[in-house]
Amino acid sequence: MDTIKFVALYAKKYKKELLIAVVSMVGLVGVQLVSPWVVRELISLVQDQAWSEGMGIAIRRLALLLLGTYVLRFLLQFLRNYMAHVAGWGVVADARHDVYEHLQRLSLHFYEDQQVGELMSRMVNDSDKFERLIAHAIPDVLVNCLMFLGVVGVMVSMNWKLMLLTMVPVPLVFLAMQGFGQYVRPAFRERQEDLAELNATINDNLSGIREIKVFTREPIERKRVWERIREYRDSMIHALRLMAIFSPGVEFASSLGTVIVIYFGGRLAFQQTLPLEDLVAFFLYLDLFYQPVRVLSHVWEHIQEALSGADRVKELLEEDPEVTDKPDAIELARVEGTIKFHNVGFSYEEGEKVLRNINLEIPAKTALALVGPTGVGKTTLAALVPRFYDVTEGAITIDGYDIRDVTLKSLRQQISMVLQDVFLFHGTIKDNILFGRSDATDHEVIEAAKIANAHDFIMDLPDGYDTLVGERGVKLSGGQKQRVSIARAVLKDAPILILDEATSSVDTETELLIQQALERLMEGKTTIVIAHRLSTVRHADFIVVLKGTGILERGSHEELMRKDGLYKHLWEVQSRPMEELTPVEV
């Protein structure tokens, strides 16, 4: 019931369309009850009277009445189907929008344990099932329940004893529906989960197709994808096998009603206690009587399928974001950029400290470099500033404001980031630069590209700023992508800047271009630089060396070199030729 209420909340927005659909359904039931009655009246006329002009008029009236009912049925079926689909696909669109919006609110920690393909399956495949529930299953249930009641009323008026006999198989059908619901719905949920796994595996393979080719993993990955395909096929067949058992059982039960009418109705007709026209009408109504029972058995599959999808969507929407705005969070105006870490501690998992007792002040418009061995928490420390994660101990302030007391949007508007792994969206170079500020003019875009040393290579491309970069910027080199990323940050012009390995993995000439661009970008900004190449941070205002879970050393390049500590050791290691280094030093 919770899942049905969950779907009903979305359907509430489309109550006007659903009301029109329901009214059309009610009218449709009434119209469909007319046809057997017309046949009954015709047989009665033919049996009881000789041909006359009056009989001809009566038959013509019956024919026109039947024609009118068919025209009305056409109009009502159109209204019912169209309005139900408007509501159904409206619900699907709203659910997908809410899922995407919720995914945006979820913290980065959530995504560390998720596969993109699996989340896409929940958003697209599972929500798609809502349409079957709203536009097909619920209308079919309503129409056929009304039809069932209407036919029962008519058949009772003709012969209540025979009507009761035809009801004998019905309880068996409903008991079967209840029993199969306990098995079918879990089976369909398992099928949806296997579909999500299949989507996730294919997404991984297509995203990593270069690596697959380079390492000649085609046979292994082909086998892995085939296993996912086979698992989905098997779970689908398992669910359909349950339905395949159920549906013929319902057909058999409904056919028993026909046997009962033939046996008992035939006897009553021979005994002349049941008029012939009533017997014929009874057979016609009998088909309408068991039609709802048969339809409900098929609808039951759609209901179970839809509810299994709704379960998974609901489960995702109930996932709480770890980083949220306080109810009384304030909007942060443009800051000067003084950042302070007050006894900061952080853990990804409880009991496993990544950082502890971090006390650090970064004055406005100065550059701080974070250095140290791999895995000591440099990127994590920087990620705490825009609240990608929340500190587990202590506090971080910007211009005296605890960052947990301001809105996430206003906080992140103060920060630009240039990362090692640049992500460009499929679109033009201009579109990707405009990601920094969507309302920028063409002139501002070009100026940002010039500052980032990107304008010249962009103009050499076939379509200039309108060149498509491909998915994740696949058509550009690493250095070109990096400079587009810098142009994006230039356009945003935030007072705080975070550079995470922004010059790694490029050649010397490109590194120089990027370094020049970064120096222009850093002017007048509070900057946190993360780098393994110490030569790129020697001119920072001050350098912090991390080791273990805390700060080991701090000071300028010259001060740290005089201390003869870890920084000096790292500097000397990087200054020596690779062939002179021991494995431990490397």
Side-chain angles (χ1 to χ4, degrees), residues 148-162:
F148 184 79
L149 294 174
V151 171
V152 167
V154 173
M155 293 174 77
V156 166
S157 68
M158 288 190 293
N159 191 300
W160 66 270
K161 292 180 180 179
L162 192 56

Side-chain angles (χ1 to χ4, degrees), residues 318-338:
E318 288 173 347
E319 188 77 35
D320 292 325
E322 294 178 9
V323 179
T324 57
D325 286 338
K326 286 184 176 180
D328 57 349
I330 63 172
E331 293 289 327
L332 189 62
R334 188 175 179 89
V335 298
E336 286 295 313
T338 299

Side-chain angles (χ1 to χ4, degrees), residues 148 151 165-170 173 250 253-258 260-261 285-295:
F148 184 79
V151 171
L165 288 170
T166 59
M167 291 281 286
V168 170
V170 174
V173 174
V250 172
S254 62
S255 64
L256 292 178
T258 305
I260 290 170
V261 171
Y285 278 117
L286 188 66
D287 186 57
L288 291 178
F289 174 80
Y290 280 110
Q291 175 188 319
V293 177
R294 288 192 294 269
V295 168

Side-chain angles (χ1 to χ4, degrees), residues 376-501:
V376 295
K378 300 185 294 294
T379 298
T380 299
L381 184 63
L384 296 176
V385 178
R387 286 189 71 197
F388 290 155
Y389 309 94
D390 264 340
V391 297
T392 50
E393 295 174 2
I396 300 173
T397 62
I398 296 178
D399 286 4
Y401 293 96
D402 189 320
I403 60 174
R404 291 169 295 190
D405 294 335
V406 302
T407 62
L408 283 168
K409 182 178 180 180
S410 67
L411 170 65
R412 291 172 183 171
Q413 284 173 340
Q414 314 296 324
I415 303 168
S416 288
M417 298 187 75
V418 179
L419 307 177
Q420 175 184 2
D421 184 16
V422 176
F423 187 97
L424 297 184
F425 292 87
H426 181 64
T428 65
I429 289 178
K430 178 183 174 182
D431 292 336
N432 277 280
I433 296 176
L434 283 170
F435 211 75
R437 181 160 56 87
S438 58
D439 60 350
T441 64
D442 288 350
H443 175 72
E444 289 172 319
V445 169
I446 292 171
E447 285 302 308
K450 287 179 177 178
I451 292 172
N453 279 339
H455 178 72
D456 290 342
F457 91 75
I458 293 172
M459 295 308 296
D460 289 337
L461 295 172
D463 297 313
Y465 284 84
D466 293 322
T467 301
L468 291 172
V469 301
E471 188 173 5
R472 298 182 66 92
V474 68
K475 294 183 179 180
L476 302 181
S477 70
Q480 289 172 335
K481 288 193 291 184
Q482 195 66 272
R483 281 175 278 169
V484 171
S485 175
I486 293 170
R488 193 161 59 187
V490 170
L491 200 60
K492 184 175 182 181
D493 190 30
I496 297 172
L497 178 64
I498 297 173
L499 306 176
D500 190 352
E501 298 287 345

Side-chain angles (χ1 to χ4, degrees), residues 251-316:
E251 291 287 342
F252 175 75
S254 62
S255 64
L256 292 178
T258 305
V259 174
I260 290 170
V261 171
I262 286 177
Y263 181 76
F264 290 101
R267 292 170 66 91
L268 291 172
F270 272 112
Q271 295 168 5
Q272 297 186 343
T273 56
L274 180 68
L276 179 62
E277 62 267 25
D278 284 354
L279 180 61
V280 174
F282 218 93
F283 273 111
L284 295 175
Y285 278 117
L286 188 66
D287 186 57
L288 291 178
F289 174 80
Y290 280 110
Q291 175 188 319
V293 177
R294 288 192 294 269
V295 168
L296 286 173
S297 70
H298 295 296
V299 167
W300 196 240
E301 176 182 349
H302 292 159
I303 290 175
Q304 298 304 321
E305 195 174 9
L307 291 180
S308 67
D311 279 341
R312 285 167 50 78
V313 173
K314 180 170 173 283
E315 185 180 274
L316 182 58

